[in-house]
Amino acid sequence: MADIRQYVTLGIAGELLGVPVERVREILEVHPISRLPHAPPHLLGMIDVRGQGVPVVDLRLKLGFEKSDDTPDTRIIVLNVPVGERELTFGLKTDRVFEVSVLDEEQLDAPPEIGVKWRSEFIAGIGRRNGNFVTVLDLGRLFSSGEAMLISSPAHAA
């Protein structure tokens, strides 16, 4: 029997992406982000989520797309991400969130080796939903251990 998993589908720069629903803690409208000195450009800063400081990463910039102004559809997806031996909480700023979709794990294509707009090591696989390709992100690789050390603190550890 196929392993059926649910993904939150989201959009950036006209691309359809997916993250495992079990990693999503909540989805927020954009609100003020406190900048961090000397942070890399894709690390926008910190937001307060129910009393916890959560670092926010601009998914557009992280994947090499151009920066974009916020719109009424812009959202921050708060994720619990396994990084090495720890589970960290991150906010991921996206252009929009669509829905929760079911993708058949056995039907995910391997990440392409060429012809993509970003580094394929961030891709867990390519699925299909309603005739469109859904690029499933590998969150552990997207937030590598080295990068996580830059923006983590004991308060973020699970």
Side-chain angles (χ1 to χ4, degrees):
M1 184 171 155
D3 183 15
I4 304 294
R5 292 191 57 195
Q6 293 184 326
Y7 296 88
V8 173
T9 54
L10 53 106
I12 61 155
E15 303 296 327
L16 185 60
L17 306 171
V19 296
V21 74
E22 67 268 12
R23 294 286 165 208
V24 177
R25 196 166 106 185
E26 56 191 297
I27 299 170
L28 307 171
E29 291 185 4
V30 174
H31 52 283
I33 299 172
S34 297
R35 296 279 310 154
L36 295 171
H38 307 291
H42 63 272
L43 177 56
L44 299 176
M46 303 285 287
I47 60 172
D48 180 76
V49 179
R50 303 184 199 298
Q52 178 185 8
V54 174
V56 177
V57 171
D58 187 325
L59 186 58
R60 276 178 162 267
L61 297 179
K62 178 67 178 169
L63 296 179
F65 291 98
E66 290 185 21
K67 185 171 177 58
S68 175
D69 292 332
D70 292 344
T71 71
D73 293 324
T74 302
R75 296 290 181 267
I76 296 174
I77 301 175
V78 180
L79 302 164
N80 292 324
V81 180
V83 179
E85 301 290 318
R86 300 168 30 176
E87 184 168 273
L88 303 175
T89 301
F90 291 94
L92 201 59
K93 185 176 137 189
T94 67
D95 292 352
R96 67 182 317 132
V97 173
F98 292 106
E99 64 184 356
V100 173
S101 297
V102 174
L103 300 176
D104 183 341
E105 287 292 301
E106 292 181 2
Q107 297 299 316
L108 288 182
D109 295 332
E113 295 296 320
I114 59 173
V116 295
K117 296 180 182 176
W118 61 87
R119 298 175 9 199
S120 65
E121 74 242 26
F122 297 152
I123 303 172
I126 308 293
R128 290 174 181 80
R129 179 76 178 142
N130 297 328
N132 295 309
F133 287 107
V134 178
T135 302
V136 177
L137 295 175
D138 183 327
L139 296 174
R141 289 186 178 167
L142 186 65
F143 299 103
S144 67
S145 298
E147 180 178 65
M149 295 302 291
L150 289 174
I151 57 179
S152 68
S153 70
H156 297 118

